[in-house]
Each structure stands twice: as structure tokens, then as C-alpha cells.
């Protein structure tokens, strides 16, 4: 059974930092493309960061230079370090896993709330 369990969300002040973690189980983590998405009320879900099985990463311009995604294949965990947080980063953050096998498998975590406010 595949599980993605996010943790680390909460309240941060503008300019502050938070670190999210996503613990994965039930699939070959090292082969998966792991991503973080976010969705604010009334808005579409958007990609925040992605790391390929190779370890390469990519980010949208909105978070580039502020957010860092990393993975620990030994712990089956992907992280999102968020620095210089802004009010517009307030969202529910979701962990996503994609496996390219005989077909594509995609899994989502339950989400964790991040609120940036003074």
C-alpha cells in the first residue's frame, strides 16, 4: 500500500523558514519523481519543486532561490526547505510521487497547511 505522509507545516512569519518532509512507503522511492505542489483556496494546484530520480531539480520562478527540494533515498523521504517566506506562500502543500513503469503511477499525500502571517 502506497503512503505519502507530509509533516512540518504550520505558521511562519514573513521572511521566516519552514521545512516540510514527506515520508514515502509502498513503492521504490529511489526510482520515483518526487514533487511538491501547493494549492490555495480558489486557485489551481501548482508545482512548487521537483526532483528526478537522478537528483536533478527544478523550480518555478515564484520560488526559485527561496525553496530547496532534496531527497534521502535511504530514508524514503523528500524534503522542502522554504526560506524567505511570503504571505503568498500560504497554501496547502502536497507531496507527489510519479513512477514510470509499464504505465505511469501517480500518488498524492494528504497535504499539510502552511500559513505565512505576522
Amino acid at each position: 500500500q502506497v503512503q505519502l505522509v507530509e509533516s512540518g507545516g504550520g505558521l511562519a512569519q514573513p521572511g521566516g523558514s519552514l521545512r516540510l518532509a514527506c515520508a514515502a512507503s509502498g513503492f521504490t522511492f529511489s526510482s520515483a519523481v518526487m514533487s511538491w505542489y501547493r494549492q490555495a483556496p480558489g486557485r489551481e494546484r501548482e508545482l512548487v519543486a521537483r526532483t528526478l530520480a537522478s537528483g536533478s531539480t527544478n523550480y518555478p520562478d515564484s520560488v526559485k532561490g527561496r525553496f530547496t527540494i532534496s531527497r534521502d533515498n535511504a530514508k524514503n523521504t523528500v524534503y522542502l526547505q522554504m526560506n524567505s517566506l511570503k504571505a503568498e506562500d500560504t497554501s496547502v502543500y502536497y507531496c507527489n510521487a510519479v513512477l514510470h513503469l509499464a504505465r505511469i503511477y501517480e500518488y498524492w499525500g494528504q497535504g499539510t497547511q502552511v500559513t505565512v502571517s505576522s
Side-chain angles (χ1 to χ4, degrees):
Q1 181 182 0
V2 172
Q3 281 193 309
L4 297 173
V5 181
E6 299 104 333
S7 60
L11 176 64
Q13 291 190 340
S17 299
L18 282 175
R19 189 193 196 204
L20 306 183
C22 171
S25 60
F27 62 95
T28 305
F29 179 82
S30 60
S31 300
V33 177
M34 299 300 300
S35 304
W36 288 95
Y37 286 76
R38 67 186 180 188
Q39 186 169 23
R43 302 190 66 175
E44 292 187 356
R45 191 171 294 190
E46 61 174 350
L47 175 68
V48 173
R50 173 170 290 146
T51 176
L52 305 183
S54 64
S56 63
T57 59
N58 56 75
Y59 308 89
D61 288 343
S62 58
V63 306
K64 196 173 294 182
R66 300 190 299 122
F67 290 10
T68 302
I69 189 171
S70 60
R71 63 193 301 158
D72 185 336
N73 289 338
K75 295 183 178 179
N76 287 357
T77 301
V78 62
Y79 303 96
L80 184 68
Q81 178 68 43
M82 304 185 292
N83 299 328
S84 303
L85 284 164
K86 306 175 181 179
E88 51 263 43
D89 295 319
T90 296
S91 279
V92 179
Y93 284 71
Y94 297 90
C95 181
N96 172 273
V98 174
L99 288 141
H100 296 265
L101 301 174
R103 65 176 181 89
I104 295 174
Y105 294 82
E106 184 172 27
Y107 307 103
W108 292 92
Q110 81 286 353
T112 185
Q113 176 70 45
V114 170
T115 302
V116 183
S117 174
S118 56

